[in-house]
Amino acid sequence: MNIQAQRAFFLHALSLLGMLAALFSPLRATAAASYSPGIYVFELNGKPVAYLSSFEGSEASGQVISQPAGPAQFPNKVLGETRYKDWTVKLDVAPEGELLNWVQASLHSNFYAAHAGIVILDLHGNEMRRATLFNAVISEISIPALDRTLREKLQLTLKLRPSYVKWQKGGARYAGLERAVNQSRMLKSNFRLEIDGLDMSRAIGVGALTVKRKLQERGEFREYEYDFAGREVSNLSVAMPEAASGGLIEWHQDFVLSGNSSDSKERKGSITLLAPDLRTPLLTIGLDHLGIYSLDYGLDGSGGDSRPTFKAGLYVEGISFDGAKP
């Protein structure tokens, strides 16, 4: 075969391959879309309460115990008690209704366990798989740092501790997909900070806040229940431009330097997460017994410019989720 014939044969083969690719590529795309999980629904006691942006969890884990070495000089290993690790779910919508009630109760001694469900759907709303977390309690709540310059979605993180977990396969269309859940997305830039006696309307940012529940186990092997054993609330930081920091400076002078730090000098405050219109409240987080313990001065370079900024360190003794308050 001469060079021209080889060239013609090669071009003809490429043309046939292109036609075949065009013919089968829609089929591949359709098949991939049909089996790509893209929707995650969070249930409480069998009812859909929110969509999840992500989740992470695991099956039960056994404790590996090493026993004294035998004749082979290698230690013998056996499995001890079995535990379920905390599951992590992330919401980019504000909790409401039954979910908000569960979160509120988790911060107090009257907390209760619930059957939490994580349902994985394909892009057509068909249920592919679900995990049921039986008798789950909330062990930790985290709110990420807020910043006026960040147009990123805000994810509220919950850590759940179940008594046991069961996986099931799906197949049918998920019946709860059409039920309304709050879909007002929260953004890190949309917040209102308030502290009694201070003008915080020009706050630039608020640091991350975490509440951890102390839990005490009771019950039988592999199926535990939990009692309330206290809680821990992380400290909080607040960034303010120098021009608006007068109230923080005076509070620091009185509370820290002058030593007037009794309970009567502590303050109440709140963080309200707002809808995109910056007026409609989505979630109000109450802050009880705030005390200032540090005040740092520096340059804030966020937003493309540097501004003199004060960053206050505050301790928080109590926290509450009060829902949307105007």
Side-chain angles (χ1 to χ4, degrees), residues 79-230:
L79 281 183
E81 292 185 344
T82 300
R83 291 285 193 278
Y84 283 96
K85 297 179 181 178
D86 285 359
W87 282 58
T88 301
V89 297
K90 292 188 176 183
L91 305 149
D92 53 9
V93 295
E96 61 175 16
E98 187 174 357
L99 177 56
L100 179 59
N101 292 338
W102 194 42
V103 171
Q104 288 173 327
S106 73
L107 299 173
H108 305 284
S109 57
N110 63 339
F111 78 101
Y112 58 93
H115 299 332
I118 298 172
V119 187
I120 304 173
L121 309 179
D122 65 17
L123 297 178
H124 302 292
N126 299 314
E127 184 175 331
M128 298 177 62
R129 198 168 177 82
R130 69 164 55 227
T132 303
L133 283 59
F134 290 93
N135 296 320
V137 296
I138 299 175
S139 62
E140 186 175 311
I141 305 170
S142 297
I143 302 113
L146 309 175
D147 191 314
R148 297 286 187 200
T149 66
L150 294 179
R151 300 294 296 175
E152 300 174 356
K153 67 180 180 180
L154 184 156
Q155 294 180 326
L156 180 68
T157 301
L158 303 179
K159 288 191 176 181
L160 313 177
R161 186 168 301 173
S163 293
Y164 64 100
V165 178
K166 181 179 180 181
W167 281 96
Q168 294 173 292
K169 289 185 178 180
R173 180 170 178 79
Y174 183 65
L177 192 59
E178 289 78 17
R179 299 179 190 176
V181 294
N182 185 357
Q183 284 298 288
S184 297
R185 293 292 192 269
M186 300 182 293
L187 296 177
K188 294 180 179 179
S189 58
N190 299 352
F191 68 91
R192 180 172 66 230
L193 174 66
E194 296 178 292
I195 299 177
D196 287 352
L198 301 177
D199 180 8
M200 305 302 294
S201 59
R202 294 179 62 185
I204 300 170
V206 179
L209 184 63
T210 299
V211 185
K212 294 183 179 181
R213 287 269 312 283
K214 296 179 181 179
L215 299 171
Q216 184 174 352
E217 291 181 346
R218 61 179 169 85
E220 298 181 358
F221 181 60
R222 295 190 180 184
E223 292 187 16
Y224 297 96
E225 295 181 354
Y226 302 97
D227 293 325
F228 183 79

Side-chain angles (χ1 to χ4, degrees), residues 251 253-266:
W251 187 22
Q253 175 71 44
D254 181 63
F255 200 83
V256 178
L257 299 181
S258 298
N260 296 318
S261 56
S262 62
D263 284 353
S264 63
K265 294 294 183 177
E266 294 172 342

Side-chain angles (χ1 to χ4, degrees), residues 308-320:
T309 303
F310 277 102
K311 181 174 287 188
L314 310 178
Y315 64 77
V316 187
E317 291 185 6
I319 184 173
S320 62

